[in-house]
Structure formats: C-alpha cells, structure tokens
Amino acid sequence: MTGNGLHAGLKNRHLSMIAIGGVIGAGLFVGSSSGIATAGPGILLSYALVGTLVVLVMRMLGEMSAANPTSGSFSAHADRALGRWAGFSIGWLYWFFWVVVLAVEATAGAKILEGWIPAVPQWGWALIVMVVLTATNLVSVGSYGEFEFWFAGIKVVAIGAFIVVGLLAVLGVLPGAHSDKAGFSNLTDHGGFLPHGPGAILTGVLLVVFSFMGSEIATLAAGESENPQRAVTKSTNSIIWRIGVFYLGSILIVVALLPWNDPSIKEKGSYVAALDSLGIAHAGEIMNFIVLTSVLSCLNSGLYTASRMAFSLGQRGDAPKAFARTTSRGVPMAAIVASVVFGFVAVFFNYRFPDSVFLFLVNSSGAVALFVWLVICFSQLRMRKIIQAEAPEKLVVKMWLYPYLTWATAGLIVFVLGYMLTDTEGESSGRTTVLLSLLVAAVVVAVAVVKQKMTGGRGAEATAAAESADKVSVG
C-alpha cells in the first residue's frame, strides 16, 4: 500500500534527543584512548579543532535546511546548488557510508552481548540486533524516534554523571574516592601538555574526526517533524554546547583523572580506566552497557539515515522508484529493506573476509564524512545566493562571516584530507582511506555524469517533482 509520503511522526522531544545523541557516537567511548596515547592532553586541542569544524559545517547545513527542510538534506541541497551529479554522488556515497557503519556497529554490539551470553554466537547476536532495529524502523518513524529518545537519553545521562563524578574527584571532594592520581596537574606534569610535540594535534585530528559523524542526522530527521524549520534552527544553535560538554568536557575529565600515559587507558579504554581509578565497582560492565547503548543508537540512526537518503534519491529519480514509495504509516519500506540487506551483506563480509573485502569497505567509506562536509561548504556558497534571490525571509539561520568563513572551513577540510595522505602506517592508514574513498567517489561521480547525459533535461524535472512531493503530511 502506498501512503502520502513521509509523515510528521517525530515529536520535539524526539528531535532534541536525536540532535544530542547524533554527536555522541560509540567512537567517543571506544576510540578516545588511542587519541590520548597519540597526543597526550593535547588531544583536547584535536577535539576542539574538529568540534569547531563540525559547528561551522552544521551552521551552513542549518542555513540551507531551515530554508528548505527535506529528507535528502545536504544531498538535495547539492542537487540544486551544484548540479544533479553532485546530489546523486554525495547521496549514494553517504548511503554507502552508513550501510558499512551498520555492519561495524552490529559487530561491536555482538561482541559485547556474546561476552554476557556466550551461548549465542557473535554472528547470531549481530543478526538479532539488526532484525530488532529493522522492525522498529519499519513500524513507523515515531517508533524510531522513541527508541532513539531512550538510547540517546541513556548516553546523555551517563556522560553527564561521568563529568560530575569525575570533576568532584579531580577537585578532591568526592566522598569515598581514593584517587591519588587525579588533578588538573595531569594536564602538564607528564612531559607537558604536548608530550609528542604540536604535530601530534593533527595526528589526533585524524583519530577523532570520524567519531563526530552523525551530527547532520537531525537535519534529515527534521523533515519528519511537526515544525521542520524550528527543529533545524534549534539543533543548529545548540551544537556548540553539545560538542563542548560531551566531547571536550568528558575528555578533559579523563586526562585530569589519570596521567595520559597510564597503561590502563590503553588496556581498558579511557572511560573504564578513569572510572576504575576512582574505585567504582564494576566500572567495566557499566561502561560496556553504555557502549552497547551507543552502538544500538548508532545502528538505529544509521538505518534511519540510510533509508531516508535512499528515499530522497528515489524521489529525485536517482534510485529505483520503489525507494520513494511509503506505506500507509509513512514508512519507506523498500528503502529500509534495501539498506538492511546491504548491511547484512557487509556483516557477512566482516565474518567471512574480514581482512580483504570488509577492510576494503571500511577504508573506502572512511573519508566520506569529509567529502560530505566539503560538499556542504560548496553547496552553501551557491545556495545563499539562490535563497536571497528567491525567498530571503527563509534565511532564519545564517552562516557567520559569509563567504569568508565558508571558504576557510573548506580549506581546513582539504588540509585534513591532505594531511591524511602523509599517514602511511597500518592497513587502515590515512593514505589508504583517502585513496580508496577517492576511488569509490570517482566511480560514483562517473556514473552520475553518464546518467545526467543520458537523461538530459528529465533530471531537472525529477528534482522539481521531488521538491514538491517532499512536503511531509501530518498524520
């Protein structure tokens, strides 16, 4: 049964928590220990640099999405501002990124669950997790929002509690804590604030940049809310404090509770080691539960995001028409099922060919986040002029210091991509990731250009039809 497009089933509380949860990925909990080992306390500058980049990119995306809320978000904006080839390319690359993330997160969650209940094999847990979250996404957008509300809520409460408890311990006023290592002196005592020199800040950037992917989910989800413009404006304006508190705040507490070179950080993970240093019982299990929640949240949002991008591509004639069909509850079933199927295939590759096929998938999607941010920059440069000419009253969110700050942001992203090419260590080195991602991007762009030449003017008609059809029906 075909419905009337997407439904406005997301409430304001859902949108608020999706926006907050979007910036807290499992990568923050799992990946921060390697960043601390690489840059010492200077990892705070790495997080601040990437955080600033994300704030600027989200401001640009917020400007475009507040003026034209759509399920295709930056892909639809790129389609209009840069050309059909750009919307097609970045939309499919983003979809590819998230279906690979589904496999990575399903495997991470399965490892934790197998540790608790070893009777079920790891692949079995991965299958169960994927099936359950697919079911919630298929029911309605409201059920996705409700699950995400609670998943993100647990993450937010956990990090908030960690910061409060850690700060009390650092200040020496936490009752019952016997932490002789805690203190802000840890930021400078063990080889200085930058023990490995200023260059380590940039190396740290490479390690932390991908844990920020997901900030843009709120602009996709806003298209299915009761007041899209208000939702986009609110999530855009609040991203500064979200990154400041959850990333910089929690990492500051970690490096203040323990010396950055304490071996337990690498052995147990930064947050578990920090909790252990305070003598908190079952710190490892508590953290595993929080990481599992983050993984499930990322899976839930990843499936939602991939399916909505596929839906938008279907509307614009850049994907099978079936992707643009919705059920009576406003759910794009074919888009969800197709995304899950590719997610399952990637999970299979992870277990069957982890060091060849799956490694290629991970590396070739690794730099997509940076490509997306770069496309947002160039789209905003054009879209500002289009909005000013057609409907200036829709500029309710404005990029600061336009166009200078937009160009500076684009330059910084290109610099980070260039710096990644100097990283040649390991199978997933920065150079490998950038080169393979560029290879996949080149193939997708080539397909887009050929498709545009073959369809001619019909592409523009499809985009116009998609824009008028993308009005969400409240129901």
Side-chain angles (χ1 to χ4, degrees), residues 105-122 124-130 288-289 292 295-296 299:
E105 299 293 341
T107 306
K111 281 180 183 172
I112 295 171
L113 288 164
E114 189 193 28
W116 291 343
I117 308 174
V120 179
Q122 206 179 101
W125 278 120
L127 187 68
I128 290 167
V129 164
M130 292 271 275
N288 268 342
F289 172 73
L292 178 63
V295 162
L296 294 176
L299 261 173

Side-chain angles (χ1 to χ4, degrees), residues 88-89 440-452:
F88 177 100
S89 304
V440 171
V443 170
V444 175
V445 169
V447 171
V449 171
V450 170
K451 181 180 180 297
Q452 189 172 342

Side-chain angles (χ1 to χ4, degrees), residues 52-67 236-237 239-240 373 376-385 387-388 394-410 413:
T52 302
L53 190 62
V54 172
V55 166
L56 294 172
V57 169
M58 282 300 296
R59 187 76 190 179
M60 296 177 222
L61 183 54
E63 176 182 297
M64 296 185 288
S65 295
T236 303
N237 290 338
I239 193 163
I240 297 174
W373 295 348
I376 289 171
C377 292
F378 292 128
S379 298
Q380 191 264 337
L381 286 167
R382 287 288 312 278
M383 278 299 287
R384 167 67 77 90
K385 293 172 184 172
I387 298 166
Q388 279 178 329
K394 289 186 175 181
L395 276 173
V396 290
V397 175
K398 284 188 177 182
M399 176 60 183
W400 307 296
L401 297 176
Y402 167 86
Y404 310 108
L405 208 45
T406 303
W407 280 112
T409 306
I413 295 167

Side-chain angles (χ1 to χ4, degrees), residues 23 40 50 88 106 127 140 183 234 237 264 298 336 342 350 380 398 408 411 413 462:
V23 296
V50 180
F88 177 100
L127 187 68
S140 70
K234 192 176 174 185
N237 290 338
S264 65
C298 192
I336 290 173
F342 275 89
N350 193 8
Q380 191 264 337
K398 284 188 177 182
I413 295 167

Side-chain angles (χ1 to χ4, degrees), residues 32-276:
S32 52
S33 54
S34 56
I36 292 169
T38 300
I43 194 66
L44 285 165
L45 296 179
S46 303
Y47 273 105
L49 193 61
V50 180
T52 302
L53 190 62
V54 172
V55 166
L56 294 172
V57 169
M58 282 300 296
R59 187 76 190 179
M60 296 177 222
L61 183 54
E63 176 182 297
M64 296 185 288
S65 295
N68 181 29
T70 166
S71 58
S73 188
F74 52 84
S75 170
H77 304 321
D79 200 305
R80 185 150 187 234
L82 305 176
R84 302 238 343 116
W85 67 272
F88 177 100
S89 304
I90 208 65
W92 276 114
L93 284 171
Y94 190 69
W95 179 85
F96 172 55
F97 169 84
W98 278 110
V99 293
V100 174
V101 166
L102 290 180
V104 173
E105 299 293 341
T107 306
K111 281 180 183 172
I112 295 171
L113 288 164
E114 189 193 28
W116 291 343
I117 308 174
V120 179
Q122 206 179 101
W123 65 265
W125 278 120
L127 187 68
I128 290 167
V129 164
M130 292 271 275
V131 167
V132 169
L133 292 178
T134 302
T136 64
N137 271 268
L138 283 172
V139 172
S140 70
V141 68
S143 65
Y144 153 72
E146 201 60 38
F147 265 73
E148 193 53 30
F149 177 80
W150 292 106
F151 285 152
I154 291 170
K155 289 192 288 188
V156 169
V157 169
I159 292 189
F162 175 81
I163 291 172
V164 171
V165 169
L167 185 60
L168 292 174
V170 172
L171 297 173
V173 292
L174 183 67
H178 308 288
S179 180
D180 52 347
K181 295 179 179 178
F184 286 117
S185 58
N186 280 330
L187 296 174
T188 53
D189 276 359
H190 306 275
F193 185 68
L194 294 169
H196 297 146
I201 298 170
L202 288 173
T203 310
V205 164
L206 305 187
L207 294 169
V208 306
V209 68
F210 303 109
S211 65
F212 281 85
M213 193 64 172
S215 317
E216 67 295 324
I217 291 174
T219 62
L220 280 97
E224 290 175 84
S225 68
E226 292 160 0
N227 190 336
Q229 193 177 67
R230 180 177 174 273
V232 169
T233 305
K234 192 176 174 185
S235 67
T236 303
N237 290 338
S238 64
I239 193 163
I240 297 174
W241 72 260
R242 285 186 272 135
I243 287 175
V245 171
F246 297 122
Y247 277 87
L248 292 174
S250 63
I251 295 294
L252 174 63
I253 294 300
V254 169
V255 292
L257 284 173
L258 283 168
W260 68 270
N261 54 0
D262 192 299
S264 65
I265 290 179
K266 212 164 187 179
E267 289 164 17
K268 302 174 183 176
S270 48
Y271 289 82
V272 174
L275 290 174
D276 268 346

Side-chain angles (χ1 to χ4, degrees), residues 1-5 7 138 322 324-334:
M1 184 177 181
T2 303
N4 301 313
H7 288 191
L138 283 172
R325 295 195 191 110
T326 57
T327 65
S328 57
R329 289 191 296 270
V331 174
M333 185 182 287

